[in-house]
């Protein structure tokens, strides 16, 4: 098994992930989660690692707030787009770009970081536990992992509603390799177990796109896309809706040991 490299799909990724209502919902919920994380950390410029950062939408926004960003990605094409995006936002001096897999980036860091962003990468890599362990090691004690991953339960629900029973009976195995459908949708309970076994303390969770993917036609009562986003925000942190999100966001902290106080 190999990790996914998006060199061949970089343009489609940029358009499909960020240029849609789905992308807007993702950005809104992620930013709310990040605001909560930043509120728990010192009010000084932070060192942030965006591991598998793609085109750097989120990390460029954090750089605009004065934080120092290291963005790594295995894809050369993604890094080209990330640098262009940083230049357009005027934050290229705040950002460092490294072409390397997330599991290897720690070897190229001069010091531990305060925050690790690991968004929509876990579902593409063949050895998730090893990668999470490597990212744990990059964090300073008290540092925070912002983890977002593709949820197998959300994918199952959508295929049930679409009547794709043959696909479900085939364990949702992909028929085409060059698609934006993730290789390894993750079970949230399994991911949480990995995190706890590594020593992370899980502080909060949120679902992303908990219902909107199931809407075929936008109803008049929705009040347009803003109404959809409002309802996504309302139910993103409520069970049972949270656990059915297309993505799950987990905030996990590396504890501070007593001898480090």
């Amino acid at each position: 098994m190999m990790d996914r490299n998006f060199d061949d799909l970089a343009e489609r990724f940029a358009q499909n992930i960020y240029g849609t209502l789905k992308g807007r919902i993702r950005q809104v919920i992620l930013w709310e989660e990040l605001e909560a994380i930043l509120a728990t950390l010192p009010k000084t410029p932070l060192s942030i690692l965006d591991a598998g950062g793609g085109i750097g939408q989120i990390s460029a926004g954090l750089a605009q707030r004065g934080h120092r960003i290291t963005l790594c990605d295995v894809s050369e094409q993604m890094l080209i787009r990330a640098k262009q995006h940083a230049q357009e936002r005027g934050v290229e001096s705040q950002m460092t770009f490294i072409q390397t897999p997330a599991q290897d980036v720690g070897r190229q860091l001069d010091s531990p970081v305060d925050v690790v962003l690991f968004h929509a990468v876990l579902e593409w890599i063949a050895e998730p536990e090893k990668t999470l362990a490597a990212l744990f090691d990059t964090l300073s004690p008290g540092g925070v992992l912002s983890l977002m991953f593709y949820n197998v339960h959300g994918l199952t629900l959508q295929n049930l509603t679409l009547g794709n029973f043959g696909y479900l009976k085939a364990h949702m195995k992909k028929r085409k390799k060059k698609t934006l459908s993730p290789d390894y949708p993750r079970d949230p309970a399994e991911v949480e177990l990995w995190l706890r076994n590594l020593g992370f303390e899980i502080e909060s969770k949120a679902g992303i796109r908990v219902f909107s993917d199931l809407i075929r036609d936008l109803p008049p009562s929705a009040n347009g896309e803003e109404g959809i986003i409002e309802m996504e925000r309302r139910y993103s942190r409520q069970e049972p809706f949270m656990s059915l999100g297309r993505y799950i966001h987990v905030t996990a902290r590396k504890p501070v040991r007593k001898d480090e106080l």
Side-chain angles (χ1 to χ4, degrees), residues 174-247:
K174 291 173 60 174
R175 296 171 186 166
K176 299 179 181 179
K177 293 183 178 180
K178 293 186 178 183
T179 74
L180 293 179
S181 178
D183 294 333
Y184 313 107
R186 302 299 182 188
D187 182 334
E190 187 173 36
V191 173
E192 290 181 35
L193 180 62
W194 295 338
L195 293 172
R196 289 195 171 95
N197 286 344
L198 287 169
F200 278 109
E201 296 174 349
I202 296 175
E203 296 188 342
S204 67
K205 295 181 288 183
I208 297 174
R209 289 162 41 202
V210 299
F211 75 91
S212 53
D213 285 12
L214 304 178
I215 297 177
R216 302 272 70 85
D217 298 304
L218 196 64
S221 61
N223 189 30
E225 292 187 355
E226 294 304 321
I228 296 294
I229 292 172
E230 177 188 355
M231 287 295 137
E232 283 282 350
R233 294 176 67 198
R234 177 178 296 188
Y235 290 101
S236 64
R237 297 168 183 87
Q238 294 184 37
E239 291 289 14
F241 316 105
M242 178 176 70
S243 292
L244 295 174
R246 181 52 60 94
Y247 288 87

Side-chain angles (χ1 to χ4, degrees), residues 1-5 74 101 103 124-127 131 183-184:
M1 295 189 295
M2 296 180 62
D3 297 350
R4 186 66 165 94
N5 185 316
V74 71
Q103 55 267 41
W124 295 104
I125 56 177
E127 296 182 314
T131 304
D183 294 333
Y184 313 107

Side-chain angles (χ1 to χ4, degrees), residues 61-99:
L62 290 166
Q64 285 185 308
R65 300 181 180 206
H67 302 299
R68 303 180 303 277
I69 312 295
T70 299
L71 186 152
C72 79
D73 203 287
V74 71
S75 167
E76 180 182 11
Q77 291 301 315
M78 284 296 187
L79 288 176
I80 290 172
R81 284 166 172 76
K83 292 175 183 177
Q84 291 173 342
H85 184 66
Q87 290 169 357
E88 291 167 2
R89 300 280 288 270
V91 294
E92 62 270 29
S93 63
Q94 293 287 112
M95 300 182 68
T96 300
F97 302 90
I98 304 173
Q99 185 176 3

Side-chain angles (χ1 to χ4, degrees), residues 131-191:
T131 304
L132 289 172
L135 295 177
F136 181 89
D137 290 341
T138 69
L139 277 167
S140 300
V144 181
L145 170 68
S146 169
L147 173 66
M148 183 182 76
F149 60 90
Y150 199 76
N151 177 19
V152 70
H153 300 319
L155 179 61
T156 301
L157 178 62
Q158 185 178 51
N159 280 288
L160 284 169
T161 61
L162 293 174
N164 293 334
F165 300 151
Y167 179 55
L168 289 164
K169 290 177 181 178
H171 305 291
M172 298 188 292
K173 291 182 180 178
K174 291 173 60 174
R175 296 171 186 166
K176 299 179 181 179
K177 293 183 178 180
K178 293 186 178 183
T179 74
L180 293 179
S181 178
D183 294 333
Y184 313 107
R186 302 299 182 188
D187 182 334
E190 187 173 36
V191 173

Side-chain angles (χ1 to χ4, degrees), residues 102-113:
Q103 55 267 41
D104 296 336
V105 69
R107 302 171 188 171
Q108 301 190 49
L109 298 178
D110 295 330
S111 58
V113 300

